[in-house]
Amino acid sequence: MTPSSPEVRNRPSTAPEERQFVLTFGCPDSTGIVAKLSSFLAERGGWITEAGYFTDPDSNWFFTRQAIRAESIDTTIEQLREEFAPLAEEFGPRAKWSFTDTAQVKKAVLLVSKEGHCLHDLLGRVAENDYPMEVVAVVGNHENLRYIAENHNVPFFHVPFPKDAVGKRKAFDQVAEIVNGYDPDAIVLARFMQILPPDLCEMWAGRVLNIHHSFLPSFMGARPYHQAYSRGVKLIGATCHYATGDLDDGPIIEQDVIRVTHKDTPSEMQRLGRDAEKQVLARGLRFHLEDRVLVYGNRTVVFD
Amino acid sequence: MTPSSPEVRNRPSTAPEERQFVLTFGCPDSTGIVAKLSSFLAERGGWITEAGYFTDPDSNWFFTRQAIRAESIDTTIEQLREEFAPLAEEFGPRAKWSFTDTAQVKKAVLLVSKEGHCLHDLLGRVAENDYPMEVVAVVGNHENLRYIAENHNVPFFHVPFPKDAVGKRKAFDQVAEIVNGYDPDAIVLARFMQILPPDLCEMWAGRVLNIHHSFLPSFMGARPYHQAYSRGVKLIGATCHYATGDLDDGPIIEQDVIRVTHKDTPSEMQRLGRDAEKQVLARGLRFHLEDRVLVYGNRTVVFD
Amino acid sequence: MTPSSPEVRNRPSTAPEERQFVLTFGCPDSTGIVAKLSSFLAERGGWITEAGYFTDPDSNWFFTRQAIRAESIDTTIEQLREEFAPLAEEFGPRAKWSFTDTAQVKKAVLLVSKEGHCLHDLLGRVAENDYPMEVVAVVGNHENLRYIAENHNVPFFHVPFPKDAVGKRKAFDQVAEIVNGYDPDAIVLARFMQILPPDLCEMWAGRVLNIHHSFLPSFMGARPYHQAYSRGVKLIGATCHYATGDLDDGPIIEQDVIRVTHKDTPSEMQRLGRDAEKQVLARGLRFHLEDRVLVYGNRTVVFD
Amino acid sequence: MTPSSPEVRNRPSTAPEERQFVLTFGCPDSTGIVAKLSSFLAERGGWITEAGYFTDPDSNWFFTRQAIRAESIDTTIEQLREEFAPLAEEFGPRAKWSFTDTAQVKKAVLLVSKEGHCLHDLLGRVAENDYPMEVVAVVGNHENLRYIAENHNVPFFHVPFPKDAVGKRKAFDQVAEIVNGYDPDAIVLARFMQILPPDLCEMWAGRVLNIHHSFLPSFMGARPYHQAYSRGVKLIGATCHYATGDLDDGPIIEQDVIRVTHKDTPSEMQRLGRDAEKQVLARGLRFHLEDRVLVYGNRTVVFD
């Protein structure tokens, strides 16, 4: 694997003035949370550049995401976390939070099969310095997309998937070993076409994103474009969601649709749909990488 | 029912230069159909202003819709039909066709319940001379939308729907009698909220349009916005389709979606969704009224 | 003007549990503003149901909008304003703020000409209890839309507009007198087709909304659909903006587009565009009525 | 330049059953054109799989595009052209037509500068066998995108553009020589950032496509995203058009928009806009390559 050109990048560079500390926080709602959180930041001189708030009326759960200009706070992310921990405890044992530093680039492993459009798209975005991640590895159950990964200087691992259950399970174990070796922030099923076993969904909960080629919950399962064609819909779609043990039923992050007509055959729909898939995956994954997605039950808050 | 103003119209006027004869035609595909049809029109001096063609690759069925400037043909629509009949026979007994004259305004009966947004919208369009139909009657299972119909000088019939099966059936018979008295070209379930019995669907096949407040096939049946909320989708939709014996499963004419976020409660979705419902119904019904929709199996060709 | 039916409403009713106090606030940015504002609300038990924040990087101006459940605060809106005033002063003389109570329904005067689609749409929304305003008057420079207003129990004023400058000015003075008699929260140019003189724009600054039938800044001025047709664009649009002395150049609140093709003539574009106009005006005006729009220079923050 | 993998393709393969002969035709409108054209095809057993018709009401010009399954006609494209020529002459000297064979893959030269997103996107589509063209060369005025071209086995030519007029002219002459050496069907300004001189526009008339990063005619010229930001628009767009001597004013093929908010800075708009640029260019260029675009005056018919 030799770089085809010194200019190929697979890692974004963050300009210092854009570097941010990002807080996500969730706890049972009560009066005064915002005041306490903002006082914490204000006391440290934190310059909030973006803030989102939401309370789920059903569960009465409060969610927030706040982005602070890193330059404005004279401390490290580790120290911030230490100082924030006691405050978080005031909101009870169920409070969940994270503090991240955008200078620490998120790592992703992409799982692919034979179709390369999402892989081309994501690696192209990274190469253009337009996407907040480093692709640390690509795993494919076929060899044919190796060239894309290698052209972008990303290691490609070929793990063949036999048809039998035992062989398939072994293949998944091999995939898991590769993935875990990188400890990635995102594991992306970029049209992987293999159903992730529940234990892997569990192990990687909140880190595995799938792109499904339909507007879920319509057309779950196999061959959604053929299903769409049979039903005669006038729009086809794509859905980016967290993978869970329930096939195509995890929390939805992003969706979009494309208009079709009676003239569009299933293969024409596949072609048109690829554009929706690329876009929806790119948007949904970005939300995830930027800590904009907070999951509650089977739903997501997306602070965009 | 007194007109509240002489200016209220419920009937579009067609300028003579815009008057058209519209041919729709379907038969098993073979070479030369277009040539024969266009020769028929050319021989009569027919000036084609719009033409759509489609062959369904599965059933190998050919469909066309052609609009001819009425001025260019020195004949009546009745005569045209007579002359066309022998040509149509050449294409076999399964060929289906119609020839309509846009000067003969299509008649619609609207069935409503308590929500009036679609009724306001459709009658507003007609009043603005912006829609190719005359609303000949509104039937409601509540009294509360009477005022809208009457403000537009349209007769309103109140048919209460009891909860018991026998009473409901009687109510449907009463609705059927009213509807059939008008022999309408379109029977529009404008958020009617009652499930049409199969025999009425059958009797009015190809003339009953429903607006369902979801992006079908997602969220069929009751309370689709609540279903959408529970599933956490990021887009909600509306679907205009022909009503058949299979609930929410008839041929789809038109669909659209609206973006929602985690902030939108079911009632907020209802509010937002009303805009999609109005638009999708208005577009789908227009396609129907302009003879742009040809049904095959559970799918539609829409020559827009 | 007799109500055509007791059911016609022109005024939304707010359920007590939905009643909100809405704070909008803007001042030069500095650290700790959010903390101070949220402490103010927290001290009074204010339950924040929605909060938006934004700092304009060019002017370094901070904006926020916060919605508080009215039930959660044991005080009146007047008292809240009194108590908030001293806090606001701490942020300097340029700070701007407002505190409104959604139980006090906003009043609108609609100015119309001959085309009634926006009038039908807005009054239909109010009648369906789906829109946060009361239409207190409609002013038309023609008689032909009187029937719509009167069907909704809204007073209609006919002010003819002569072609000469002096006559036109007098007509505008008459309009101004009518409008000012109602002291409305919104003055809506609902396809009014007359250019508002600069002094009226000035007098009503921040309260006059126009719907322009193009995607501004494309096709300013007269006959935008004809301009769009000539240029051969593939999308047409509509823009809702605050009217200022610069024609079609005021701060934009909302925009949208609709796809067109080579088949669409200018009059077809007009027909299609009406749907965009209705929707964009309805959305933009709602943002205004809900105090979601904050103007800075020629731009707007819209907290949706 | 060594292929990085044998699987990299830069040329689509057409399955025999999908091969088509495509006729485009335009002439002054008269009765019977469709009949004559379809008779011509029917006599040869031509199986029409797609047909579009349009008459421009202003110029009274008739346009059509017809796709015929190649298998259904027992002749070559050259012979078809020969046989069609006498028929075409019947429609007068101004009639324009072309007959193409989709088995003869269209050739494109891409002109680029520093931003590679469109290049990544188009070459990715070709590599995925999803796009009807072969990229025969990439010309860049910087070196930094060479790696993309070479990773796809496409020759890259670096032509530096000096700032002075004489040097610039020489650079353009060099570009012209390279381009003309390939006799391409499409010359694509894929964010080329240099204004093509009128003589080159003239020489390549109907073959040069530009992607402009705004919703034309808004924000012509330089830095459209900065213009959009200043004007405070709520949607940004992209436009694919034929380049002519009038900067950003050529016939529009395709456009689209993306929603933005007050939060989006010019650089955020650039990032978001890239997605619109990629899509609009990919769609517009496909229409061109599939002979779906017919130009008349400054407008286009697009038979999609």
Side-chain angles (χ1 to χ4, degrees):
Chain A
M1 201 186 68
T2 321
S4 55
S5 150
E7 266 133 315
V8 186
R9 299 176 223 91
N10 175 32
R11 200 178 182 299
S13 62
T14 310
E17 71 277 16
E18 288 176 1
R19 184 178 161 205
Q20 297 183 323
F21 296 143
V22 176
L23 169 67
T24 67
F25 183 84
C27 73
D29 198 16
S30 66
T31 301
I33 306 178
V34 176
K36 282 183 194 163
L37 297 182
S38 23
S39 296
F40 174 88
L41 296 172
E43 285 159 14
R44 280 149 190 84
W47 183 351
I48 299 170
T49 57
E50 211 185 323
Y53 299 90
F54 174 66
T55 297
D56 173 38
D58 295 344
S59 60
N60 200 31
W61 209 267
F62 170 85
F63 300 93
T64 187
R65 176 190 184 272
Q66 314 220 6
I68 302 104
R69 194 168 292 200
E71 290 181 319
S72 69
I73 293 195
D74 187 22
T75 178
T76 63
I77 188 73
E78 289 76 19
Q79 204 177 326
L80 256 183
R81 285 180 191 139
E82 248 175 65
E83 293 173 20
F84 188 76
L87 176 61
E89 269 177 34
E90 295 181 23
F91 298 101
R94 291 189 300 163
K96 269 193 190 175
W97 59 279
S98 72
F99 239 127
T100 56
D101 180 347
T102 59
Q104 294 169 5
V105 176
K106 298 281 176 74
K107 291 178 294 176
V109 174
L110 311 184
L111 274 55
V112 300
S113 183
K114 280 185 173 170
E115 291 202 43
H117 55 286
C118 288
L119 187 59
H120 274 297
D121 186 66
L122 291 175
L123 287 172
R125 289 172 192 269
V126 174
E128 282 292 297
N129 203 8
D130 200 20
Y131 210 77
M133 74 175 174
E134 176 183 11
V135 179
V136 288
V138 174
V139 181
N141 62 343
H142 293 89
E143 270 289 353
N144 72 308
L145 301 185
R146 174 184 294 276
Y147 81 98
I148 309 177
E150 298 196 344
N151 278 340
H152 287 270
N153 305 325
V154 176
F156 179 89
F157 298 90
H158 177 212
V159 179
F161 270 66
K163 299 245 167 181
D164 66 293
V166 174
K168 211 168 244 188
R169 181 65 232 189
K170 278 189 187 162
F172 270 120
D173 290 342
Q174 204 183 332
V175 169
E177 207 186 316
I178 295 166
V179 168
N180 289 336
Y182 286 100
D183 190 24
D185 301 284
I187 298 135
V188 184
L189 310 180
R191 298 301 312 278
F192 180 48
M193 308 304 282
Q194 295 287 338
I195 298 163
L196 216 59
D199 63 311
L200 294 194
C201 291
E202 182 70 23
M203 177 166 64
W204 296 332
R207 290 190 291 155
V208 203
L209 287 85
N210 184 39
I211 177 72
H212 184 76
H213 37 316
S214 85
F215 180 72
L216 289 175
S218 287
F219 314 132
M220 300 166 78
R223 293 163 58 91
Y225 292 124
H226 288 79
Q227 294 182 50
Y229 178 80
S230 295
R231 182 61 191 91
V233 292
K234 299 302 185 186
L235 298 168
I236 55 171
T239 303
C240 177
H241 64 96
Y242 288 112
T244 62
D246 298 317
L247 181 65
D248 298 336
D249 208 25
I252 294 171
I253 303 170
E254 175 64 345
Q255 302 188 286
D256 215 337
V257 293
I258 282 186
R259 196 159 279 275
V260 292
T261 77
H262 56 269
K263 290 191 285 188
D264 295 309
T265 58
S267 61
E268 194 73 2
M269 286 184 183
Q270 279 172 324
R271 181 177 75 69
L272 291 164
R274 277 182 206 118
D275 274 355
E277 294 165 31
K278 289 192 298 192
Q279 298 252 351
V280 168
L281 176 56
R283 289 206 299 264
L285 177 56
R286 179 186 289 272
F287 291 150
H288 171 80
L289 295 165
E290 294 181 346
D291 296 309
R292 295 181 180 280
V293 190
L294 283 77
V295 177
Y296 57 115
N298 205 35
R299 310 177 63 212
T300 62
V301 176
V302 179
F303 288 118
D304 64 347
Chain B
M1 200 188 69
T2 320
S4 56
S5 148
E7 266 135 311
V8 186
R9 306 175 220 89
N10 174 32
R11 199 178 183 298
S13 62
T14 310
E17 71 278 13
E18 289 176 1
R19 187 180 159 201
Q20 298 183 323
F21 295 143
V22 176
L23 169 67
T24 67
F25 183 84
C27 72
D29 198 15
S30 67
T31 301
I33 306 178
V34 176
K36 283 183 195 164
L37 297 181
S38 22
S39 297
F40 174 87
L41 296 171
E43 284 160 14
R44 280 149 190 84
W47 182 352
I48 299 171
T49 57
E50 211 184 324
Y53 300 89
F54 174 64
T55 297
D56 172 38
D58 295 343
S59 60
N60 200 31
W61 208 269
F62 170 85
F63 301 91
T64 187
R65 176 188 184 273
Q66 315 221 5
I68 302 104
R69 194 167 292 199
E71 287 181 322
S72 70
I73 292 196
D74 187 22
T75 178
T76 63
I77 188 71
E78 289 77 17
Q79 206 177 325
L80 257 183
R81 285 179 192 140
E82 247 176 66
E83 293 173 20
F84 188 76
L87 176 61
E89 271 180 31
E90 294 180 22
F91 297 101
R94 291 189 300 163
K96 268 191 190 176
W97 60 278
S98 72
F99 239 128
T100 55
D101 180 347
T102 58
Q104 295 170 4
V105 176
K106 297 281 177 71
K107 291 178 296 177
V109 173
L110 311 184
L111 274 55
V112 300
S113 183
K114 278 184 174 170
E115 290 202 43
H117 54 286
C118 288
L119 188 59
H120 274 298
D121 185 66
L122 290 175
L123 287 171
R125 289 172 193 269
V126 174
E128 282 294 298
N129 203 10
D130 200 19
Y131 211 75
M133 74 173 174
E134 176 183 12
V135 180
V136 290
V138 174
V139 180
N141 62 343
H142 292 90
E143 270 289 351
N144 71 309
L145 301 186
R146 174 183 294 276
Y147 80 98
I148 309 177
E150 298 196 342
N151 278 339
H152 287 270
N153 305 323
V154 175
F156 180 89
F157 297 91
H158 177 214
V159 178
F161 269 67
K163 298 248 167 178
D164 66 294
V166 175
K168 212 168 242 188
R169 180 67 232 190
K170 277 189 188 164
F172 269 120
D173 291 342
Q174 203 183 335
V175 169
E177 207 185 317
I178 295 166
V179 168
N180 289 333
Y182 287 100
D183 190 24
D185 301 284
I187 298 134
V188 184
L189 310 180
R191 299 300 314 276
F192 181 47
M193 308 305 283
Q194 295 286 338
I195 298 163
L196 215 60
D199 63 310
L200 294 194
C201 290
E202 182 70 23
M203 177 165 64
W204 296 331
R207 290 191 290 156
V208 202
L209 287 85
N210 185 38
I211 178 72
H212 184 75
H213 37 317
S214 86
F215 180 72
L216 290 175
S218 287
F219 313 132
M220 300 166 78
R223 295 165 54 97
Y225 292 124
H226 288 78
Q227 295 183 51
Y229 178 79
S230 295
R231 182 60 190 91
V233 293
K234 299 301 185 187
L235 298 167
I236 54 171
T239 303
C240 177
H241 64 96
Y242 287 112
T244 62
D246 298 317
L247 180 65
D248 297 336
D249 208 24
I252 293 171
I253 303 170
E254 175 66 345
Q255 303 189 286
D256 216 339
V257 293
I258 282 185
R259 196 159 278 275
V260 292
T261 77
H262 55 269
K263 288 191 287 188
D264 296 307
T265 58
S267 62
E268 195 72 2
M269 286 185 182
Q270 280 172 323
R271 181 178 76 68
L272 291 165
R274 277 182 205 118
D275 275 355
E277 295 165 30
K278 289 192 298 192
Q279 297 253 353
V280 168
L281 177 55
R283 289 207 299 263
L285 177 55
R286 179 186 290 273
F287 292 150
H288 171 80
L289 296 165
E290 295 181 347
D291 297 310
R292 295 180 181 279
V293 190
L294 283 75
V295 177
Y296 57 115
N298 204 35
R299 310 178 63 212
T300 61
V301 177
V302 179
F303 288 118
D304 64 345
Chain C
M1 202 188 66
T2 322
S4 55
S5 148
E7 267 135 310
V8 186
R9 295 177 228 91
N10 174 33
R11 198 178 184 300
S13 62
T14 309
E17 71 277 14
E18 289 175 0
R19 187 180 159 202
Q20 298 183 322
F21 295 143
V22 176
L23 168 67
T24 68
F25 183 84
C27 72
D29 198 16
S30 67
T31 301
I33 306 178
V34 176
K36 281 183 195 164
L37 296 182
S38 21
S39 297
F40 174 88
L41 295 172
E43 285 159 15
R44 279 149 190 85
W47 182 351
I48 300 171
T49 57
E50 212 184 323
Y53 299 88
F54 174 65
T55 297
D56 173 38
D58 295 344
S59 62
N60 200 30
W61 208 268
F62 170 86
F63 300 92
T64 187
R65 175 189 184 274
Q66 315 219 5
I68 301 104
R69 194 168 291 201
E71 288 180 321
S72 68
I73 293 195
D74 187 23
T75 176
T76 63
I77 188 71
E78 289 76 18
Q79 207 177 323
L80 256 183
R81 286 180 191 138
E82 248 176 66
E83 294 173 19
F84 188 75
L87 175 62
E89 270 179 33
E90 294 181 22
F91 298 101
R94 293 189 299 163
K96 267 193 191 175
W97 59 279
S98 72
F99 239 127
T100 55
D101 179 347
T102 59
Q104 294 169 6
V105 176
K106 298 282 176 72
K107 290 178 296 176
V109 173
L110 311 184
L111 274 55
V112 299
S113 184
K114 280 185 173 169
E115 291 202 43
H117 54 286
C118 288
L119 187 58
H120 274 297
D121 185 67
L122 290 174
L123 287 171
R125 288 172 192 270
V126 174
E128 282 293 298
N129 203 9
D130 200 19
Y131 211 76
M133 76 174 173
E134 176 182 13
V135 180
V136 290
V138 175
V139 181
N141 63 343
H142 291 90
E143 271 289 352
N144 71 308
L145 301 185
R146 174 185 293 276
Y147 80 98
I148 309 177
E150 298 196 342
N151 278 339
H152 287 268
N153 304 324
V154 175
F156 179 88
F157 298 90
H158 177 212
V159 179
F161 269 67
K163 299 245 166 179
D164 66 293
V166 174
K168 212 169 241 187
R169 181 67 232 187
K170 278 189 187 164
F172 270 119
D173 290 343
Q174 205 183 329
V175 169
E177 208 186 316
I178 295 166
V179 168
N180 289 334
Y182 287 100
D183 190 24
D185 302 283
I187 298 134
V188 184
L189 310 179
R191 300 300 312 278
F192 182 48
M193 308 303 283
Q194 296 286 337
I195 298 163
L196 215 59
D199 64 309
L200 293 194
C201 291
E202 182 69 24
M203 177 166 64
W204 296 331
R207 288 191 291 156
V208 202
L209 287 85
N210 185 38
I211 179 73
H212 184 75
H213 38 316
S214 86
F215 180 73
L216 289 174
S218 287
F219 314 131
M220 299 166 78
R223 293 166 55 93
Y225 291 124
H226 288 78
Q227 294 183 51
Y229 178 79
S230 297
R231 182 60 190 91
V233 292
K234 299 301 184 187
L235 299 167
I236 55 170
T239 303
C240 176
H241 65 96
Y242 288 112
T244 62
D246 297 318
L247 181 64
D248 299 334
D249 208 25
I252 293 170
I253 303 170
E254 174 65 344
Q255 302 189 287
D256 216 337
V257 293
I258 282 185
R259 197 159 277 275
V260 292
T261 77
H262 55 270
K263 290 191 286 187
D264 295 308
T265 59
S267 62
E268 194 73 0
M269 286 184 182
Q270 279 173 323
R271 180 177 76 69
L272 291 165
R274 277 181 206 119
D275 274 355
E277 295 165 30
K278 289 191 298 192
Q279 297 253 352
V280 169
L281 176 55
R283 289 205 299 263
L285 177 56
R286 179 187 289 272
F287 292 149
H288 171 80
L289 295 165
E290 295 181 346
D291 296 309
R292 295 180 181 279
V293 190
L294 282 75
V295 177
Y296 58 115
N298 205 34
R299 310 178 62 212
T300 61
V301 176
V302 179
F303 288 118
D304 64 345
Chain D
M1 200 188 69
T2 320
S4 55
S5 148
E7 266 134 315
V8 186
R9 299 175 223 92
N10 175 31
R11 199 180 183 297
S13 62
T14 310
E17 71 277 14
E18 288 176 1
R19 186 178 159 205
Q20 298 183 323
F21 296 143
V22 176
L23 168 67
T24 67
F25 183 84
C27 72
D29 197 15
S30 67
T31 301
I33 305 178
V34 176
K36 282 183 195 163
L37 296 182
S38 21
S39 296
F40 174 86
L41 295 172
E43 285 159 14
R44 279 149 190 84
W47 182 351
I48 299 170
T49 57
E50 211 184 323
Y53 300 88
F54 175 65
T55 297
D56 172 39
D58 295 343
S59 61
N60 200 31
W61 208 268
F62 170 86
F63 300 92
T64 188
R65 176 189 183 273
Q66 314 219 5
I68 302 103
R69 194 167 292 199
E71 289 182 319
S72 69
I73 293 195
D74 187 21
T75 178
T76 63
I77 188 72
E78 290 76 18
Q79 206 177 324
L80 257 184
R81 285 179 191 140
E82 247 176 67
E83 293 173 20
F84 188 76
L87 175 63
E89 269 179 33
E90 294 180 23
F91 299 101
R94 291 190 298 163
K96 268 193 191 174
W97 59 278
S98 72
F99 239 128
T100 55
D101 180 347
T102 59
Q104 294 168 5
V105 175
K106 298 282 177 70
K107 292 179 295 177
V109 173
L110 311 184
L111 275 56
V112 300
S113 184
K114 279 185 174 168
E115 292 203 42
H117 54 288
C118 288
L119 187 59
H120 274 297
D121 185 65
L122 291 175
L123 287 171
R125 288 172 193 271
V126 174
E128 283 291 298
N129 204 8
D130 201 20
Y131 211 76
M133 75 174 174
E134 177 183 10
V135 179
V136 290
V138 174
V139 181
N141 63 343
H142 292 88
E143 270 288 352
N144 72 307
L145 301 186
R146 174 184 294 276
Y147 81 98
I148 309 177
E150 299 197 342
N151 277 340
H152 287 270
N153 305 323
V154 176
F156 180 88
F157 298 90
H158 178 213
V159 179
F161 270 66
K163 300 245 166 180
D164 66 293
V166 173
K168 212 168 243 190
R169 181 66 233 188
K170 277 190 189 163
F172 269 119
D173 291 341
Q174 204 183 331
V175 170
E177 209 186 314
I178 296 166
V179 169
N180 289 335
Y182 287 99
D183 190 25
D185 302 284
I187 299 134
V188 184
L189 310 179
R191 299 299 313 276
F192 181 48
M193 308 304 282
Q194 296 286 337
I195 298 163
L196 214 61
D199 63 311
L200 293 193
C201 291
E202 182 70 24
M203 178 167 63
W204 296 330
R207 289 191 290 157
V208 203
L209 287 85
N210 184 38
I211 179 72
H212 184 76
H213 38 315
S214 86
F215 180 72
L216 289 175
S218 286
F219 313 132
M220 299 165 79
R223 293 165 55 92
Y225 292 124
H226 288 79
Q227 294 183 50
Y229 178 79
S230 296
R231 182 60 190 91
V233 291
K234 300 301 185 187
L235 299 167
I236 55 171
T239 304
C240 176
H241 64 95
Y242 288 112
T244 63
D246 298 318
L247 181 64
D248 299 335
D249 209 24
I252 293 171
I253 304 170
E254 176 64 346
Q255 303 189 286
D256 216 337
V257 293
I258 281 186
R259 196 159 279 276
V260 292
T261 77
H262 55 269
K263 290 190 286 188
D264 296 308
T265 59
S267 61
E268 194 72 1
M269 286 185 182
Q270 279 172 323
R271 181 177 75 69
L272 291 165
R274 277 181 206 120
D275 274 355
E277 294 165 30
K278 290 192 298 191
Q279 298 252 353
V280 168
L281 176 55
R283 287 205 301 263
L285 177 55
R286 179 187 289 273
F287 291 149
H288 171 80
L289 296 165
E290 294 182 345
D291 296 309
R292 295 180 180 280
V293 190
L294 283 76
V295 177
Y296 58 115
N298 205 34
R299 310 177 63 212
T300 61
V301 176
V302 179
F303 288 118
D304 64 347

